[in-house]
């Protein structure tokens, strides 16, 4: 391996320590940051994610309100609960864990959250604020990627080409806008892009967020590039792997994130950061 590792676990711990210090100061001033986390149904993966978020809040001194609702909860009831949390001045962030059961319109639910409490950054108002460069909450995974770039001294990306493979509303698209705001030249590619390998080889910063195990191989990486792997895929043998073939890519890249222990831990850390920010702004 020639690439240097970007240790997401260590960097996330640093972010969490910063968040804890800010949370302690707000609490001392009589305003403890609080995050409401709503889980609908019994999706096993979602239960793990929610448990991790609640535990992370506790470690950072953020109060969490964890609500679990039955899978047959009516959309109207969920919307009413969100409206009540919007009105509650002691709640600063609201997160509804996705996916929601199919009878509930997830986008309608997200739009019901006050943009002032949208710590996931999924509301159209948050997306619009990112688009036009205004203050607003940024989605946590892309924010974590930007923090990683900052950490390795790549805050300003002027003159660099960033290629984001993946076009989801919660990672690919917002990350492309953040990279653009950091002055990069940005390409959004996806699994259907013609000659994806050639496009990737143009990248000084290559981000994989498509959900395809080991799609990006070393032959697709420009020597010395920064490779951020957002993918978390479960292999048949139960092991986790990213969208990047780590072994071959690490021989070519300058910097690379592992899976697990890369971008993943940053997501929760940035959620905590957004929650403290929401409290400080309230
Ligand atoms: N499901 C998977 N990732 C996320 C996330 O970041 N936020 C929410 N609300 N649900 C998710």
């Amino acid at each position: 391996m020639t690439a240097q590792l970007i240790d997401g676990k260590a960097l996330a711990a640093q972010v969490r320590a910063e968040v804890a210090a800010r949370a302690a100061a707000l609490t001392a001033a009589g305003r403890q940051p609080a995050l409401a986390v709503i889980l609908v149904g019994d999706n096993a993966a979602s239960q793990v994610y929610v448990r991790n978020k609640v535990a992370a809040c506790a470690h950072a001194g953020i109060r969490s309100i964890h609500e679990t609702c039955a899978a047959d909860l009516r959309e109207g009831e969920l919307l009413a609960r969100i409206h009540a949390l919007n009105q509650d001045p002691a709640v600063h962030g609201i997160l509804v864990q996705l996916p929601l059961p199919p009878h509930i319109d997830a986008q309608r639910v997200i739009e019901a959250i006050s943009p002032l409490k949208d710590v996931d950054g999924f509301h159209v108002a948050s997306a619009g604020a990112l688009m036009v460069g205004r203050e607003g909450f940024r989605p946590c995974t892309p924010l974590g990627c930007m923090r990683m770039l900052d950490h390795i001294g790549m805050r300003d990306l002027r003159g660099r080409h960033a290629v984001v493979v993946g076009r989801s509303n919660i990672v690919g698209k917002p990350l492309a806008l953040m990279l653009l705001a950091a002055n990069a030249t940005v390409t959004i590619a996806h699994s259907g892009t013609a000659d994806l390998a050639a496009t990737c080889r143009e990248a000084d910063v290559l981000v994989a967020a498509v959900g395809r195990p080991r799609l990006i191989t070393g032959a697709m990486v420009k020597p010395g590039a920064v490779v951020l792997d957002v993918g978390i895929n479960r292999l048949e043998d139960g092991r986790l792997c990213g969208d990047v073939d780590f072994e071959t890519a690490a021989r070519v890249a300058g910097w690379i994130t592992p899976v697990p222990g890369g971008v993943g831990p940053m997501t929760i850390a940035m959620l905590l950061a957004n929650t403290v920010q929401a409290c400080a702004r309230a």
Side-chain angles (χ1 to χ4, degrees), residues 89-269:
V91 172
H92 308 99
I94 303 170
L95 180 151
V96 178
Q97 186 66 27
L98 302 176
L100 286 168
H103 68 280
I104 295 178
D105 181 339
Q107 199 56 40
R108 188 178 298 151
V109 169
I110 290 165
E111 303 314 334
I113 297 170
S114 163
L116 299 173
K117 300 189 179 187
D118 174 38
V119 288
D120 255 334
F122 293 171
H123 196 290
V124 281
S126 303
L130 170 59
M131 180 84 170
V132 299
R134 296 282 289 264
E135 194 172 274
F137 290 108
R138 308 299 194 228
C140 303
T141 299
L143 203 51
C145 290
M146 296 308 291
R147 177 73 190 237
M148 287 179 135
L149 291 175
D150 193 11
H151 179 69
I152 60 167
M154 295 184 72
R155 176 175 292 203
D156 191 337
L157 300 172
R158 191 173 300 275
R160 316 233 194 201
H161 188 174
V163 174
V164 180
V165 188
R167 50 179 163 173
S168 76
N169 290 335
I170 62 175
V171 181
K173 287 188 226 171
L175 180 56
L177 290 170
M178 291 181 202
L179 290 162
L180 205 51
N183 301 314
T185 301
V186 181
T187 299
I188 305 182
H190 49 86
S191 55
T193 295
D195 204 348
L196 181 62
T199 302
C200 290
R201 273 195 301 271
E202 297 268 310
D204 302 300
V205 176
L206 177 60
V207 185
V210 261
R212 298 249 190 129
R214 298 180 183 140
L215 176 73
I216 308 297
T217 62
M220 299 163 79
V221 175
K222 178 177 179 176
V226 180
V227 178
L228 304 181
D229 189 352
V230 179
I232 301 178
N233 309 289
R234 180 78 62 187
L235 297 173
E236 274 176 18
D237 63 8
R239 280 181 308 146
L240 290 180
C241 86
D243 291 351
V244 175
D245 181 40
F246 184 87
E247 223 176 282
T248 56
R251 284 190 212 126
V252 186
W255 293 91
I256 192 165
T257 63
V259 176
V263 176
M266 295 301 293
T267 299
I268 291 187

